[in-house]
Amino acid sequence: MRATRMLVFGTMMLVVMLATTSCHSSQSPSPPIVDRSDGGAVEWSSYGRDPGGERPAPLDQITRENVSRLFVAWTFNTGEDMTAARGRDPALETTPLMVDGTLFISTPRGRVIALDPETGSERWRFDPEVDPSLGFGDFASRGVATWLDSARTYGAPCRRRIFMATIDARLFALDAVTGAPCDGFGVNGAIDLREGLRNPPDSRSEYEMTSPPAVINGVVVTGSAVADNGRTTMASGEVRGWDARTGALRWSWDPVPQAPDDEAYDDWRGASARRTGGANAWSVIVSDPARDLVFVPTGSASPDYYGGERIGSNRYANSVVALRGSTGQLVWSFQTVHHDLWDFDNAAPPALTTIRRNGAKIPVVLQATKSGMLFVLHRETGEPVFPVEERQVPGSTVPGEQAWPTQPFSAIAPLSPHSFPMDSVWGATPADLAECRALAASLRNEGVFTPPSLEGTLQMPSNIGGAHWGGVAVDPARQIAVVPVNRVATVVQLIPRDQADREEAQREAGRMGYEYAPMRGTPYVMRRRLFTTEARAFCSPPPFGALVSVDLTTGAHKWNVPLGTIQSLAPQAPSEWGSPNLGGAITTSSGVVFIGAALDHAIRAYDIESGRELWKGSLPAGARATPMTYRVREDGRQFVVIAAGGSDVFGTGDAIVAFALPPE
């Protein structure tokens, strides 16, 4: 799922460039942290601000009228080396938390750093000493989680805890005041998340943690990131709940059903179906504490592109799953893709909101998908609020494969294109256009959900989306959802194993930008790359990325605008081309949408009513992260903070950048 998927995005970045011609913590002597904040503070206490991931900020100091006056208030550099000895280089994707008057950030190597939220000065730093030479497939951390232990008195150690899930799959509980590991949690403040899995990983880099855990009513809930194209029996994707005080396992839920009395048991058929790996939740898990529910976005079963060893719809994989937070009991599930063959895992976090229809208030879950859909489900039952239709889709021509005959389609119009007709094939030059058309003519191309084939399939949306891990931001007052999407196609081909010459494949990979996956346990090797010319010029038409707004009362699109530019790489590229993107948006009560995500070194503000760009702020590198915003005191300034950096085509950097209005 994650390792190979992200390698393709790295390939895409090169395409864009060519298309346009023993743990320890340390403390500084800065003022001590307290575990309570000013009564007028507006905090950002979860990855999506609230446990449900809605991402709205009840702040109106920065408005559509004055946002153009924003300037850099402070910049903090983590000092982290953004290279790796092998595997992917790190990506700085963290979204900070601001609680109790302190800003908490994470780094790809698992460091947690506490900052003064008004000055950016460092207060303490914890280092779990991750070995960067292990070769991680997706070397990132998107943030931390927090929990206040109300049973402990004010000033007691670990009353406020910061939970960090490291890339090498350890879960730490830290004292928010000092950064020290919490005594009594696991072993020396940590638990090893690789232990106790149905399918153990064969290496430390096969089973990773890239997203923060969820915390609900004293239970810490973890998913996992699994590289799932290596073999059929990759590491299993159990979702688990841990006691927030002790680290003891409270419950475990397996997305590949093992018990015959499970209602989804017969949706997994074949000799090795029970041993299937993946189907894990690598994105952000959200929660509804009042209903004791956690909402889990699950991914693809292993391997992604051939399902002959896991015949059936593979229910619970590629799904939104509601579990009881206290017990892990399944409450309901809704499958967004049946028998996935496209790497269409649910990368976007669910978002919980309340919509108004016919005078009634309905609690819902929003799930944007790589297939370009936006599903709106009743939070308590999983029933679609906007209709969902099962439609016939193309069948597979690959021997041994049994593609599912239908797929779910939301009544909300697709967020990104669902087809790629020949007249939409694009080229930057006449020669490029001719080459792209010739390649397209050789590929199977029957619209969304065309299965992989032996001759090669044109996949639109691609495996990076459609909607990606940036997910959905909601303005609940205006009943508007905003989603960033990619709009580029992929070429996917299955090669019979006895015909695959690995050495030649590797040489071709270097020349043509192909990515290969062995898919051991199946008769095939998979190869894929972006739909490009041999010189890696895009064959997909611009815009390459967009920001889409949906009216949640009607399901209609309000606006759809190109997101970002690629001018930091190719100054001659028109701004209308947009940019491939990774990262999410946030909203404010004043009607401003903030988002980075694009390849250019910028953060932008948009008018949520019209989609008009209001402001662009310069960054030292690309921001493949989701921003956040807060106010420390009632009379304080509103800050907008975003991470900028990592490595590769987004630009190298290690910066956390805060913007604010000038002092009056």
Side-chain angles (χ1 to χ4, degrees), residues 413-605:
L415 304 172
S416 56
H418 268 181
S419 63
F420 204 122
M422 283 294 291
D423 60 6
S424 68
V425 175
W426 182 81
T429 68
D432 287 345
L433 180 58
E435 185 178 348
C436 290
R437 285 176 173 167
L439 177 58
S442 69
L443 300 172
R444 189 176 179 195
N445 177 17
E446 300 167 45
V448 65
F449 297 118
T450 303
S453 60
L454 302 184
E455 67 270 28
T457 291
L458 187 62
Q459 181 182 329
M460 186 69 169
S462 74
N463 58 292
I464 60 169
H468 48 74
W469 62 257
V472 181
V474 181
D475 183 323
R478 296 176 178 84
Q479 296 280 279
I480 296 173
V482 179
V483 190
V485 297
N486 288 302
R487 296 169 52 98
V488 292
T490 303
V491 176
V492 181
Q493 184 176 11
L494 300 185
I495 304 172
R497 193 168 301 279
D498 59 3
Q499 298 177 22
D501 184 322
R502 189 63 179 169
E503 291 185 1
E504 177 60 25
Q506 291 290 359
R507 287 195 292 271
E508 188 172 9
R511 185 176 72 254
M512 289 284 292
Y514 280 108
E515 176 198 354
Y516 285 76
M519 300 202 306
R520 293 184 297 275
T522 80
Y524 304 100
V525 170
M526 182 276 291
R527 74 174 185 180
R528 67 183 179 186
R529 65 178 171 89
L530 270 293
F531 180 34
T532 68
T533 67
E534 186 168 351
R536 304 189 191 180
F538 269 134
C539 296
S540 303
F544 305 129
L547 192 61
V548 184
S549 166
V550 177
D551 185 328
L552 293 175
T553 62
T554 66
H557 289 195
K558 286 183 67 70
W559 45 263
N560 186 328
V561 298
L563 174 58
T565 75
I566 57 173
Q567 291 171 350
S568 61
L569 303 173
Q572 71 276 26
S575 59
E576 294 80 14
W577 283 11
S579 170
N581 55 89
L582 286 176
I586 64 172
T587 68
T588 70
S589 59
S590 59
V592 181
V593 177
F594 289 101
I595 187 169
L599 290 179
D600 54 10
H601 301 176
I603 178 174
R604 288 175 167 81

Side-chain angles (χ1 to χ4, degrees), residues 289-315:
R291 291 180 170 86
D292 190 27
L293 293 175
V294 290
F295 298 89
V296 181
T298 63
S300 314
S302 62
D304 292 342
Y305 290 95
Y306 178 76
E309 309 301 321
R310 50 174 174 86
I311 299 300
S313 66
N314 305 147
R315 191 169 11 156

Side-chain angles (χ1 to χ4, degrees), residues 173-528:
L174 308 176
D175 183 355
V177 176
T178 67
C182 293
D183 289 339
F185 184 87
V187 178
N188 298 321
I191 55 178
D192 188 340
L193 297 173
R194 298 174 302 158
E195 295 181 355
L197 296 172
R198 172 176 52 83
N199 285 1
D202 66 1
S203 68
R204 197 159 199 118
S205 60
E206 181 185 295
Y207 187 85
E208 306 170 352
M209 295 286 153
T210 55
S211 293
V215 186
I216 176 172
N217 302 327
V219 177
V220 185
V221 183
T222 58
S224 57
V226 175
D228 56 6
N229 272 317
R231 63 184 190 278
T232 57
T233 57
M234 298 297 289
S236 49
E238 289 97 315
V239 177
R240 291 174 289 179
W242 311 89
D243 188 285
R245 290 191 180 91
T246 67
L249 181 64
R250 295 269 291 269
W251 54 259
S252 179
W253 176 79
D254 194 329
V256 180
Q258 302 295 303
D261 60 351
D262 191 300
E263 63 181 17
Y265 187 83
D266 292 336
D267 295 325
W268 299 77
R269 302 190 304 277
S272 61
R274 303 292 153 220
R275 299 177 60 234
T276 299
N280 51 294
W282 62 265
S283 187
V284 177
I285 295 169
V286 303
S287 70
D288 183 339
R291 291 180 170 86
D292 190 27
L293 293 175
V294 290
F295 298 89
V296 181
T298 63
S300 314
S302 62
D304 292 342
Y305 290 95
Y306 178 76
E309 309 301 321
R310 50 174 174 86
I311 299 300
S313 66
N314 305 147
R315 191 169 11 156
Y316 303 151
N318 303 89
S319 297
V320 183
V321 179
L323 303 177
R324 193 66 65 195
S326 54
T327 65
Q329 177 188 5
L330 176 73
V331 178
W332 58 259
S333 69
F334 176 88
Q335 193 168 47
T336 58
V337 177
H338 309 314
H339 191 75
D340 185 20
L341 300 174
W342 304 273
D343 193 12
F344 277 169
D345 43 299
N346 282 316
L352 309 186
T353 192
T354 300
I355 65 172
R356 299 186 293 270
R357 299 192 75 190
N358 302 319
K361 293 182 178 181
I362 306 172
V364 298
V365 183
L366 307 180
Q367 183 65 56
T369 67
K370 286 188 184 180
S371 62
M373 311 279 192
L374 180 62
F375 294 101
V376 182
L377 311 173
H378 196 289
R379 198 182 309 176
E380 296 173 342
T381 66
E383 291 298 315
V385 175
F386 286 87
V388 173
E389 177 186 7
E390 288 286 333
R391 297 181 191 170
Q392 199 80 19
V393 294
S396 177
T397 57
V398 172
E401 183 58 86
Q402 296 182 34
W404 200 255
T406 64
Q407 292 292 343
F409 285 77
S410 173
I412 296 173
L415 304 172
S416 56
H418 268 181
S419 63
F420 204 122
M422 283 294 291
D423 60 6
S424 68
V425 175
W426 182 81
T429 68
D432 287 345
L433 180 58
E435 185 178 348
C436 290
R437 285 176 173 167
L439 177 58
S442 69
L443 300 172
R444 189 176 179 195
N445 177 17
E446 300 167 45
V448 65
F449 297 118
T450 303
S453 60
L454 302 184
E455 67 270 28
T457 291
L458 187 62
Q459 181 182 329
M460 186 69 169
S462 74
N463 58 292
I464 60 169
H468 48 74
W469 62 257
V472 181
V474 181
D475 183 323
R478 296 176 178 84
Q479 296 280 279
I480 296 173
V482 179
V483 190
V485 297
N486 288 302
R487 296 169 52 98
V488 292
T490 303
V491 176
V492 181
Q493 184 176 11
L494 300 185
I495 304 172
R497 193 168 301 279
D498 59 3
Q499 298 177 22
D501 184 322
R502 189 63 179 169
E503 291 185 1
E504 177 60 25
Q506 291 290 359
R507 287 195 292 271
E508 188 172 9
R511 185 176 72 254
M512 289 284 292
Y514 280 108
E515 176 198 354
Y516 285 76
M519 300 202 306
R520 293 184 297 275
T522 80
Y524 304 100
V525 170
M526 182 276 291
R527 74 174 185 180
R528 67 183 179 186

